[in-house]
Amino acid sequence: MAAELYPANTNIANSNAAAAGSKKPALQLQQSAQPPPPPQLQNLNNNNLESASWQSCHPTLRERNALMFNNELMADVHFIVGPPGASKKVPAHKYVLAVGSSVFYAMFYGDLAEVKSEIHIPDVEPAAFLILLKYMYSDEIDLEADTVLATLYAAKKYIVPALAKACVNFLETSLEAKNACVLLSQSRLFEEPELTQRCWEVIDAQAEMALKSEGFCEIDLQTLEIIVTREALNTKEVVVFEAVLNWAEAECKRQGLPVTPRNKRNVLGKALYLVRIPTMTLEEFANGAAQSDILTLEETHNIFLWYTAANKPKLEFPLTKRKGLVPQRCHRFQSSAYRSNQWRYRGRCDSIQFAVDKRIFIAGLGLYGSSYGKAE
């Protein structure tokens, strides 16, 4: 039995607040002034707590603080969270927020303290803001794949490092080839070097899957250029070229442009010249890039000459092949030769075991066959 391993590369991102028309209540006269009933406490699920002395029902400070999360009771500030038309009004308590975040402390108690009763936050998703507040009120972290990036943004914006770290850990555990490029773009944006390194390890080793994923088409142009220049990408150059064309098509649609070869070339800019087209085989070039219409006739002609002519023309594309990753081979035996090149197996359970000092990717396994026919 033999195993091929790729070492992980170590070289390296609503509710509408519609103003409900309130009717002015008619004035009612009472013979004796009665004290107003105690406000009913509501939790996140809007279930009323019947007991007026709710404090005695929740003995710990953490429990009582948790009850104040997203609760109008004693709220002294409101946030209008989300973009116009998709915003949500969230009640909060300045003291709790200021204790949990230096940004909120400066906002409410600093020299330039905010005096408005409503604060608009259009750049944060309502769901992510509620996750942030829930952590600040109760130390509870509820992360989901759909909101974790938005939550990381909110945690970074309001400098809540423990929540940001939890988001990064969540992303690392969910990291795979199909989302590695998107997470690389986000990790660069949020300046998370450890997550960036993990993304590179996956992209390098599983480059073909990463480049063919839908997520690759969602990255920004700068991240595209960084990926295309990557020396350790473990895939054929024709795969890189096809991925770049797919990204260009998606970018044209994002910009509202007709998907034409000219527009795709324009949105790519210099990124097109980062693809190492001359390192393809002649057949790959002739069946792919040469017929893509994204290259000019002169470029296509010169590349064909570069393949075939002794006097090669000068090209604007890189000429050296990517190094990729070199697999390390681990053998169960130094030699399998035994009695006329046979290895005797006497029914014992056999396995291969190894220890590593860095993250690795299993690239393949080789099994010894049986000289007596079928074997399980």
Side-chain angles (χ1 to χ4, degrees), residues 144-367:
E144 297 180 1
D146 295 339
T147 57
V148 62
L149 285 173
T151 304
L152 177 58
Y153 173 78
K156 289 280 189 176
K157 177 174 181 176
Y158 294 104
I159 312 181
V160 185
L163 179 58
K165 181 63 176 176
C167 291
V168 171
N169 291 339
F170 183 94
L171 291 171
E172 286 188 354
T173 58
S174 61
L175 177 62
E176 53 185 333
K178 67 181 182 181
N179 64 8
C181 293
V182 172
L183 293 184
L184 174 68
S185 176
Q186 297 298 322
S187 67
R188 293 179 58 252
L189 175 65
F190 294 131
E191 298 181 346
E192 290 290 341
E194 292 184 9
L195 180 57
T196 299
Q197 172 64 21
R198 288 286 292 117
C199 291
W200 277 126
E201 292 170 0
V202 174
I203 293 171
D204 287 342
Q206 300 175 289
E208 184 169 350
M209 293 177 61
L211 296 180
K212 289 184 176 181
S213 67
E214 294 181 3
F216 179 81
C217 296
E218 301 173 5
I219 62 178
D220 58 281
L221 178 59
Q222 187 178 14
T223 303
L224 172 74
E225 293 175 350
I226 293 174
I227 292 176
V228 176
T229 57
R230 186 74 173 173
E231 189 71 29
L233 288 182
N234 204 62
T235 188
K236 294 181 178 181
E237 201 65 26
V238 64
V239 174
V240 179
F241 180 79
E242 291 171 354
V244 168
L245 288 189
N246 291 337
W247 181 92
E249 180 177 341
E251 182 64 16
C252 286
K253 294 178 180 178
R254 282 191 289 267
Q255 297 186 18
L257 301 172
V259 182
T260 63
R262 182 175 182 177
N263 286 337
K264 288 195 288 186
R265 187 181 176 103
N266 288 337
V267 297
L268 281 171
K270 67 177 183 179
L272 177 62
Y273 294 102
L274 300 176
V275 183
R276 307 184 184 193
I277 294 178
T279 66
M280 300 179 187
T281 65
L282 177 58
E283 183 180 1
E284 289 172 340
F285 174 73
N287 294 331
Q291 300 184 42
S292 66
D293 294 330
I294 199 170
L295 301 177
T296 65
L297 290 176
E298 181 180 3
E299 289 169 343
T300 303
H301 176 264
N302 287 341
I303 293 174
F304 270 121
L305 288 179
W306 191 89
Y307 281 114
T308 57
N311 187 17
K312 300 184 183 298
K314 183 178 180 180
L315 301 179
E316 298 185 60
F317 300 92
L319 306 178
T320 57
K321 193 174 182 179
R322 300 178 194 273
K323 294 181 180 178
L325 298 177
V326 180
Q328 299 180 13
R329 299 177 184 270
C330 303
H331 293 280
R332 171 67 174 82
F333 302 101
Q334 293 300 320
S335 173
S336 60
Y338 177 77
R339 293 185 183 179
S340 302
N341 201 28
Q342 292 183 357
W343 171 57
R344 299 293 184 181
Y345 178 72
R346 303 187 183 279
R348 296 186 301 272
C349 180
D350 193 41
S351 64
I352 183 171
Q353 184 178 25
F354 53 87
V356 296
D357 58 1
K358 65 179 66 174
R359 284 184 287 262
I360 63 168
F361 292 86
I362 303 296
L365 298 173
L367 300 176

Side-chain angles (χ1 to χ4, degrees), residues 33-176:
Q34 299 292 332
Q40 289 183 316
L41 190 63
Q42 293 182 333
N43 62 16
L44 184 59
N45 297 322
N46 294 321
N47 297 321
N48 292 339
L49 297 178
E50 297 180 357
S51 174
S53 58
W54 52 268
Q55 294 91 338
S56 59
C57 300
H58 301 276
T60 68
L61 176 61
R62 179 180 175 278
E63 289 177 324
R64 293 191 294 272
N65 269 349
L67 290 173
M68 293 296 101
F69 163 64
N70 197 23
N71 197 305
E72 289 287 353
L73 182 64
M74 296 184 288
D76 52 1
V77 66
H78 290 79
F79 294 94
I80 309 300
V81 187
S87 60
K88 183 173 183 177
K89 189 173 183 179
V90 179
H93 307 79
K94 294 180 179 180
Y95 170 76
V96 177
L97 272 57
V99 169
S101 163
S102 59
V103 175
F104 283 127
Y105 175 82
M107 182 184 297
F108 299 132
Y109 301 102
D111 294 335
L112 300 176
E114 184 67 63
V115 296
K116 297 179 181 178
S117 59
E118 288 189 354
I119 299 174
H120 290 259
I121 309 178
D123 59 328
V124 176
E125 293 183 10
F129 192 75
L130 288 173
I131 293 173
L132 171 72
L133 260 59
K134 186 173 184 179
Y135 169 72
M136 299 176 72
Y137 277 82
S138 66
D139 280 339
E140 295 180 14
I141 300 178
D142 295 328
L143 297 177
E144 297 180 1
D146 295 339
T147 57
V148 62
L149 285 173
T151 304
L152 177 58
Y153 173 78
K156 289 280 189 176
K157 177 174 181 176
Y158 294 104
I159 312 181
V160 185
L163 179 58
K165 181 63 176 176
C167 291
V168 171
N169 291 339
F170 183 94
L171 291 171
E172 286 188 354
T173 58
S174 61
L175 177 62
E176 53 185 333

